[in-house]
């Protein structure tokens, strides 16, 4: 008994050491900024932009330290590739504006109400049914990620081994549309989970992400030959989606890459339901 208690405390101590603080003196931050720029391939137009970006970087670094002190041992914060952006710039360039979810026919909803006793909080992560956090890169593919991660969870909860499924398949292949509601799946220009479920139902399955790798967000201005230039999905409706990219690489299209023989065995989507807003 005593021994397992000791082990527990040891592990816990190891765990909390991931919290750390950056040096805040100007020289250290300047040095760190240079390293960070190299690691993140940042190049600025002239000394004024460089200075401006450095100041934002400094502000963000101090804010990270503040948050690390506030949540010490519970969670940790660190610099990432967005560290030279102001919060408002991050919001306008990276985050999407809120959109009202569509409303569906009544029988599409899982209804809450009496008899449901939901816990105040619930976490699927320690149950090992949630895959790791992914980076969608510079592409409007959040709708495909959220759909795929939901299916990954359902697949694991049903007793199958946890598996990364192919987001790129959905981005490349799903051009489903809902004309009455003026919604469509538009590849890297956005889309809707409820339409993605319809695509996956019709397609008959999904490849794993190992077989059909995510590449839509890959842009490398220095090595453009490595860039992913995905083609619009079959059925892309430019009156709902806007104009398609002017150039795409056909060998990176759905037609070239999709291989139904590689669909994960037994994985099919039969139907989908929406969760009521007032559960
Ligand atoms: C899923 O992919 C990530 C890389 O994006 C990897 O770190 C992780 O181990 C994978 N998970 C599984 C269950 O294969
Ligand atoms: C594309 O969307 C428009 C609505 O904006 C619709 O009228 C049209 O039927 C759609 N085209 C196809 C081929 O589905
Ligand atoms: C098109 O994609 C293929 C496969 O990813 C790649 O080998 C080729 O270099 C790309 N072509 C261009 C012009 O980017």
């Amino acid at each position: 008994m005593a021994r397992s208690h000791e082990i527990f405390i040891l592990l816990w101590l190891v765990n909390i050491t991931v919290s750390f603080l950056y040096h805040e003196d100007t020289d250290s931050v300047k040095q760190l900024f240079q390293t960070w720029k190299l690691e993140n391939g940042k190049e600025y137009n002239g000394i004024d932009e460089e200075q401006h970006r450095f100041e934002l970087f400094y502000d963000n670094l101090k804010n990270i330290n503040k948050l690390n002190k506030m949540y010490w041992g519970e969670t940790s914060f660190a610099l990432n590739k967005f560290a030279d952006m102001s919060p408002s710039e991050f919001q306008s360039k990276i985050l999407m504006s809120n959109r009202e979810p569509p409303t569906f026919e009544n029988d599409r909803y899982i209804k809450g109400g009496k008899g449901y006793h939901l816990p105040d909080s619930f976490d699927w992560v320690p149950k090992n049914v949630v895959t790791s956090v992914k980076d969608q890169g510079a592409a409007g593919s959040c709708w495909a990620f959220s759909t795929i991660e939901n299916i990954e969870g359902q697949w694991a909860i049903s007793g199958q081994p946890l598996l990364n499924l192919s987001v790129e398949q959905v981005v490349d292949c799903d051009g489903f549309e809902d004309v009455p509601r003026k919604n469509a799946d538009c590849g890297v220009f956005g889309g809707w989970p409820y339409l993605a479920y319809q695509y996956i139902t019709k397609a008959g399955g999904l490849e794993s992400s190992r077989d059909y790798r995510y590449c839509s967000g890959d842009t490398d201005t220095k090595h453009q030959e490595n860039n992913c230039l995905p083609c619009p999905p079959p059925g892309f409706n430019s009156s709902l989606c806007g104009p398609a990219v002017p150039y795409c690489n056909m060998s990176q299209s759905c037609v070239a890459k999709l291989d139904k023989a590689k669909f994960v065995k037994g994985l099919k989507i039969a139907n989908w339901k929406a969760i009521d807003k007032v559960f």
Side-chain angles (χ1 to χ4, degrees), residues 68-112:
N68 271 329
K69 284 180 199 158
M70 212 179 325
Y71 296 100
W72 194 265
E74 283 176 61
T75 188
S76 60
F77 298 81
L79 295 165
N80 64 14
K81 64 182 175 185
F82 305 117
D84 63 351
M85 284 181 161
S86 70
S88 60
E89 186 185 6
F90 180 77
Q91 174 138 29
S92 67
K93 285 194 181 154
I94 307 293
L95 303 179
M96 306 261 301
S97 53
N98 278 334
R99 280 193 292 184
E100 269 298 297
T103 45
F104 302 111
E105 307 74 44
N106 227 10
D107 61 0
R108 274 288 172 201
Y109 289 96
I110 300 171
K111 292 279 176 192

Side-chain angles (χ1 to χ4, degrees), residues 177 179 237 239-240:
E177 61 182 7
V179 173
N237 185 331
S239 92
L240 290 171

Side-chain angles (χ1 to χ4, degrees), residues 128 130-135 152 161-165 209-210:
N128 197 33
V130 182
T131 59
S132 49
V133 175
K134 310 287 182 350
D135 182 355
E152 286 166 351
L162 188 62
L163 183 64
N164 288 311
L165 296 168
S209 70
R210 206 184 44 202

Side-chain angles (χ1 to χ4, degrees), residues 247 249 251-252:
Y247 171 76
N249 182 339
S251 64
Q252 292 170 348

